[in-house]
């Protein structure tokens, strides 16, 4: 069950945050977001091959107290569509 903070209208804990999807460049990417709306968001980039559940909820929750936080699955990783590239290029 998703827990919502009425002040931010987002999940109150990363562990309980809903997975969302956005389509960009023909690929559907999975992401989670939480924290207050507005301002410049913090975009969390994980190590190669890691999925959304690899982020430490304690760290993300701490960041989300004051910042909007968006974590993503890379192309072809986790719940994102496509094929993961074999090089960083």
């Amino acid at each position: 069950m998703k827990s919502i903070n009425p002040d931010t209208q987002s999940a109150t804990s990363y562990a309980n945050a809903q997975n969302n999807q956005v389509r960009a460049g023909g690929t559907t990417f999975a992401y989670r977001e939480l924290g207050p709306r507005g301002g410049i968001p913090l975009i969390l980039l994980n190590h190669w091959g890691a999925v959304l559940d690899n982020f430490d909820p304690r760290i993300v929750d701490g960041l989300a107290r004051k910042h909007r936080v968006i974590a993503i699955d890379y192309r072809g990783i986790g719940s994102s569509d496509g094929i993961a590239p074999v090089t960083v290029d």
Side-chain angles (χ1 to χ4, degrees), residues 24-44:
T27 301
T28 300
F29 292 91
Y31 71 96
R32 290 183 196 164
E33 67 179 310
L34 67 156
R37 304 289 184 206
I40 299 171
L42 297 174
I43 308 298
L44 302 183

Side-chain angles (χ1 to χ4, degrees), residues 38-66:
I40 299 171
L42 297 174
I43 308 298
L44 302 183
L45 304 174
N46 219 331
H47 60 88
W48 193 252
V51 297
L52 292 171
D53 289 332
N54 289 121
F55 287 105
D56 186 333
R58 297 168 296 178
I59 293 172
V60 179
D61 290 350
L63 293 170
R65 285 189 192 107
K66 294 188 178 185

